[in-house]
Amino acid sequence: QIRGDLGVLARGESEVWSFLGLISGGDSSIMAAASAGGINTIHHVDYEVFNFLGIVASHTTVVYGEK
């Protein structure tokens, strides 16, 4: 958290994972990430993707905004 003129800035993450493209779990929605960070006003969104030879993969949504 960073306190500034805009209020308290926060970061929230949500993730979905996959194994062999057959089994997956999680929720990587923007709303899930905002909820995890306690964010009320979203400023911007980033995505992070990881893939290891198509065996294991993950997709992470990172939301930045004000609490």
Side-chain angles (χ1 to χ4, degrees), residues 1-2 6-12 37-45 62-67:
Q1 292 183 355
I2 301 171
L6 299 175
V8 177
L9 301 179
R11 178 181 195 263
I39 296 171
N40 294 321
T41 304
I42 297 172
H43 285 281
H44 66 278
V45 178
V62 183
V63 175
Y64 301 90
E66 295 180 41
K67 282 194 169 194

Side-chain angles (χ1 to χ4, degrees), residues 14-18 27-28 47-50 57-61:
S14 59
E15 181 179 27
V16 66
W17 55 268
S18 172
D27 179 4
S28 66
Y47 297 100
E48 299 172 0
V49 177
F50 171 79
S58 70
H59 181 274
T60 304
T61 303

